[in-house]
């Protein structure tokens, strides 16, 4: 169940922050509409890592479409060569 609180609850921010935990953000509303999300730093770092990974995967996909794809054997050979360096 999501934790949803009005932004006015930040007057007592310690209580709001106590409700934030890993995997359980607190959503703040302003004028009855969702406006902010407070997340645990571990969740924030995980989200940032996922964004970076998705960006790198997208770069690889674009490179494959523009320059051609490598075969499974080519990739295997490449990484085997790196392991011996």
């Amino acid at each position: 169940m999501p934790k949803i609180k009005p932004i006015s609850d930040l007057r007592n921010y310690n209580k709001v922050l106590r409700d934030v935990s890993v995997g359980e953000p607190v959503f703040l509303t302003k004028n009855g509409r969702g406006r902010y999300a407070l997340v645990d730093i571990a969740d924030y770092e995980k989200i940032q890592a996922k964004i970076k990974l998705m960006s790198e995967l997208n770069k690889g996909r674009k490179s494959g479409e523009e320059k051609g794809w490598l075969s499974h054997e080519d990739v295997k050979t490449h990484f085997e060569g790196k392991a011996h360096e």
Side-chain angles (χ1 to χ4, degrees), residues 46-61:
K46 191 185 305 182
I47 291 166
Q48 293 302 308
K50 286 180 183 178
I51 290 169
K52 185 176 180 180
L53 174 63
M54 295 304 293
S55 174
E56 292 299 315
L57 290 172
N58 192 42
K59 285 181 194 176
R61 182 188 56 79

Side-chain angles (χ1 to χ4, degrees), residues 16 40 61 68:
V16 174
D40 183 87
R61 182 188 56 79

Side-chain angles (χ1 to χ4, degrees), residues 3-23:
K3 298 175 185 173
I4 301 171
K5 298 178 179 282
I7 200 164
S8 60
D9 279 8
L10 284 179
R11 289 184 196 117
N12 186 3
Y13 65 90
N14 283 325
K15 183 178 178 200
V16 174
L17 293 178
R18 262 187 266 129
D19 287 341
V20 177
S21 58
V22 175

Side-chain angles (χ1 to χ4, degrees), residues 3 9-10 17-19 22-23 26 28-29 39 41 45 49 57 59 61 66 68-69 72-73 77 81:
K3 298 175 185 173
D9 279 8
L10 284 179
L17 293 178
R18 262 187 266 129
D19 287 341
V22 175
V26 172
L28 300 175
T29 61
V39 297
I41 193 72
E45 290 171 346
L57 290 172
K59 285 181 194 176
R61 182 188 56 79
E66 293 170 1
W69 298 97
H72 168 70
E73 287 303 317
T77 302

